[in-house]
Amino acid sequence: MAVHKDNLRAALAVAFTCFFALAISIRFIKQFFFIIPKDRKKKSSCYLNTEPKPQYTFKRVLADNSYSQFKHLKLPTETSHSDVEFSNLHPYKGEISKLMKNPNVGFLKFLDGCEKVGMEMGDSYVWVESEEQLRELVEVLSNERVFAVDTEQHSFRSFLGFTALVQISTLMEDYLVDTIILHDVMGLLRPVFANPGICKVFHGADNDVLWLQRDFHIYVVNLFDTAKACDVLSKPQRSLAYLLEMYCGVATNKLLQREDWRQRPLPEEMIQYARTDAHYLLFIAYCLCMELKSQKNENSSPGDEFHFLLEASRRSSATCLQLFGKDIEGCPGELAASSIVSRCLNDQGNISSNLCGSKFQELVRRLCLWRDIMARLHDESLRFVLSENAIIALAAKSPTTEIDICSTISIADLHVESTILGPLQSPSPVVCSHFEDILCLFQENTPNLDNIFQQFIQQHLGPAGSCPLSAYNYALLSKTSLKLTNRSTPNRNGFRASKQAAKKASRQLFVQKFSCKSPVYHNCKIYANDGRLLCYCDRRKLEWYISRNLAKLVEEDPPSIMLLFEPKGRPEDEDNDFYIQSKKNICVGCGEGNHYLRYRIIPSCYRMHFPERLKSHRSHDIVLLCVDCHEIAHAAAEKYKRQVAEEFGIPLFVRKVVDSDETQDISASSLPISTSEEVGVSPLHLRTAAMALLRHGPQMPSQRREELMQIVMKYYGGREITNEDLERALLVGMTPHEKRRFEKKRGFTFKHLTKGINLNNEGENNSGGKANVPIQNASTDETEDSFYTIMTETDQKQDHDDTDGMTSDIKTNPEIDDISGNGKISNGTNSPAYVRDISLKHESKLSLLGHGPHGKQVVEYLLKEYGEEGVREFCQRWRQVFVEALHPRFLPAGWDVMHRYA
Ligand code: AMP
Ligand code: ZN
Ligand code: MN
């Protein structure tokens, strides 16, 4: 019989080897036909690109796969250090400790009905899969004094595991909560689970308590654990199967607990199993409580009938005090490696001891490290990535080809029992998509483990990485991003690849730098003193009111306050139910929740010129977008700007500027129409020429200097120019912010003009009446529209220099038009007549190199021709452009293209 089995294995092994040989030769043939250069190794594509995993639909993941410690819930009431949102303490330590000293067994009398009602399990149950249903369930539970709970989790295709189902039973109904579809809103159950007035009955709650913390920040306060009751009663067994049999006469197939609970719809048999686990718990708790009460206690005074019951309750509460934490090793995979090595050393029969030499041990360590990283990256369990047997076989054989690796692993896994999840995939798709990693591990000259770690993360998740980023692995990358970006990447893949990598890298950095680090909308509520909901706000605002005794906290989750004074305005004053819509911290385009940036639907170059009244309610037109949606929306907006420019005949960029002092004869009327090609110069050319002359003038070849001088002279109407003129030319159209930046970055000081520039007087000409661009201390809060001006509150002070590389497109490629240096513009001869009537009194806030002047003219034109209604319609056009470009699916409910400002 044994011989027969071995033959079968050998045959299978041969079959496997042949199959993989064939598969791999097909790969080579493909490569040949697509003529992929030999030296450029094809980057493997990760299986995750094509395999959807249910947990990838989660928008927010509390326990990610990074090596950093889990952060527990921090309650708003203990925010003495108001900035800390999470902590490593139990948020309900106080309540639970109170319960341990003084257990609340008041729920018992509510179970009295159990007996009479009987605990037969009927056909009806509620499958909870919508937020609405979950809210109803919360409502039901908050009116109960006791309910039963059980959870099912999935751990094979996930690194830390996740809760796939929560079963809740009241005396009236069984609820099955689909925690995959409701993952992001499960927090709704937090209050009932934390309510010490409601008893939660579990059986063997140790794991469930931790899983609920891990996935939903749900903390159980007031637990009655039927397994703890069994301990106190010294029952011969404490399993639920035993209790079900004993008290309810129900048989259950515990093998089902190992099924794949991610399945939807759940097979009937699994639904029955899941219901059974919670349904009978209330009745079992009732029976056990009766027994606990009737236990004789020799040590306590007669009448102390609660002694044992209280003990069971205390032990249950002790379970609740446990905190979920991630196992964090000094060196990832180390524990698994030493366990494997010691297993091999002890298991003489399996591997001869000389095979357990230092090379073998080193390879085991490397494989375990790789397995750990890959499991985290792909959110898979360790055993799914690579079995222990496979690690031992690989380390012993140290294969050098893909075929070798495959056959070694699949032969090793012939000894592993297949799981209920279907035939074991061996080698796993993780191995199959990343063979080159394993080959690299076996190379003698592979750097030390630290470097391997960095290298793998970079290869897989980095700028040009092979594997998708997710809520689970994102932090893995950002934690190590600094080191990664400082490291110079070997440029093996040629120019194009490196350019792409650079693009992706800068994009990644951009996401990290500019995406909002903490949720933008906190969904805290502010109520008026008559209980009317006024608006939503963030925590900081809420704390501001409370700390000044201007409001009191009325709800904890989400934190809500009631104002103690009569607010000035009410939301109902205006037709603005938008302002009391809860805003979600997700991209309104695609729902992405990991990163998002603010996006202004009405480009700043226009909005900054709106009358104050129309500017004030701008939250409607600032939405959150992920980088991808941001890019789409921005591109559409830039395109539409060009359309606006054409339609209104107002060019996007200023083409020519002239110094007014020198053109007075031409500009006798309100507007100089530069009919002569000789007059005026592009502001960009002017600035570049003036700068070159100031910095390198004396060293320049005289011909070049002459060319540049001609450019500057055009601005001054052709007259001879001085150094002071050069400095003034440099300042043309520069905003104070740009000027400061310029001075800082280039180390440039305006030697010749220092006395001449009045930094405070808007609109007044400066000394000598010559500096035509008035300098003022303008607020830089509104900047021109570049992709990167959309920043978070915390980032707003960040110097724009940091994004220079990314804005250069816009800045170096202006479509040029005319403007006079004193702020009067001309638009050439082919502009519609009305444009000539608009004079642009140039504000120093506006950079002449940006879209600001264009925006100003457009808005002035709208106001002049159509009044504020024109501006409102203009806003609606921009919302339409936004909606058409993005088809956003997650806009807040009150959002409307036709939205009207108050
Ligand atoms: P239960 O409440 O007993 O059905 O178990 C809850 C969860 O624990 C199940 O969904 C499984 O994920 C996990 N679990 C419990 N026992 C086992 C086991 N023997 N093997 C694998 N998973 C288990
Ligand atoms: Zn991958
Ligand atoms: Mn269960």
Side-chain angles (χ1 to χ4, degrees), residues 46-48 374 378 433-434 460 466-468:
C46 182
Y47 70 102
L48 283 182
M374 295 308 261
H378 298 91
S433 4
H434 302 296
H460 298 304
S466 55
C467 312

Side-chain angles (χ1 to χ4, degrees), residues 605-790:
C605 71
Y606 304 112
R607 214 203 40 235
M608 66 195 292
H609 303 296
F610 286 2
E612 270 317 304
R613 202 145 16 105
L614 299 187
K615 258 200 267 190
S616 59
H617 285 120
R618 51 190 190 181
S619 75
H620 180 274
D621 292 320
I622 300 181
V623 293
L624 298 183
L625 291 181
C626 72
V627 171
D628 295 298
C629 290
H630 202 289
E631 223 166 53
I632 295 167
H634 179 73
E638 287 302 303
K639 195 170 155 208
Y640 195 67
K641 265 193 206 167
R642 290 195 286 275
Q643 207 174 308
V644 168
E646 203 150 300
E647 183 186 328
F648 288 70
I650 299 172
L652 273 183
F653 289 98
V654 172
R655 197 161 78 197
K656 281 183 179 177
V657 286
V658 274
D659 183 51
S660 61
D661 285 356
E662 315 296 336
T663 55
Q664 257 152 26
D665 48 336
I666 316 173
S667 60
S669 70
S670 72
L671 247 189
I673 298 163
S674 49
T675 45
S676 159
E677 279 301 304
E678 309 302 307
V679 180
V681 60
S682 123
L684 181 68
H685 284 168
L686 177 65
R687 189 180 292 181
T688 325
M691 183 146 63
L693 286 168
L694 280 166
R695 308 205 97 184
H696 311 293
Q699 302 98 282
M700 261 181 203
S702 56
Q703 197 193 337
R704 177 68 183 147
R705 188 169 55 232
E706 196 45 46
E707 277 169 25
L708 294 175
M709 285 299 246
Q710 286 302 324
I711 293 174
V712 181
M713 279 159 73
K714 271 189 185 173
Y715 174 69
Y716 290 110
R719 68 163 167 80
E720 285 300 310
I721 48 179
T722 63
N723 270 347
E724 188 188 336
D725 291 330
L726 285 179
E727 287 190 357
R728 265 198 301 127
L730 196 54
L731 282 169
V732 169
M734 219 187 255
T735 66
H737 177 72
E738 279 178 321
K739 185 180 166 262
R740 277 195 298 278
R741 214 180 98 197
F742 178 80
E743 288 179 322
K744 197 173 117 197
K745 198 173 173 186
R746 314 265 174 173
F748 189 89
T749 41
F750 291 85
K751 292 191 235 69
H752 307 276
L753 279 180
T754 37
K755 279 187 212 130
I757 294 176
N758 181 342
L759 282 165
N760 295 310
N761 271 350
E762 180 176 4
E764 257 176 47
N765 273 359
N766 304 296
S767 79
K770 296 228 165 162
N772 288 299
V773 181
I775 308 295
Q776 66 177 98
N777 285 329
S779 102
T780 51
D781 122 78
E782 301 266 15
T783 46
E784 68 191 68
D785 295 303
S786 74
F787 191 116
Y788 304 96
T789 54
I790 289 80

Side-chain angles (χ1 to χ4, degrees), residues 150-155 211 254 257-258 261 273 277:
D150 185 40
T151 72
E152 304 300 328
Q153 77 148 357
H154 179 80
S155 57
W211 293 337
K254 270 289 162 191
Q257 72 193 163
R258 298 161 72 174
W261 288 96
Y273 169 87
D277 265 3

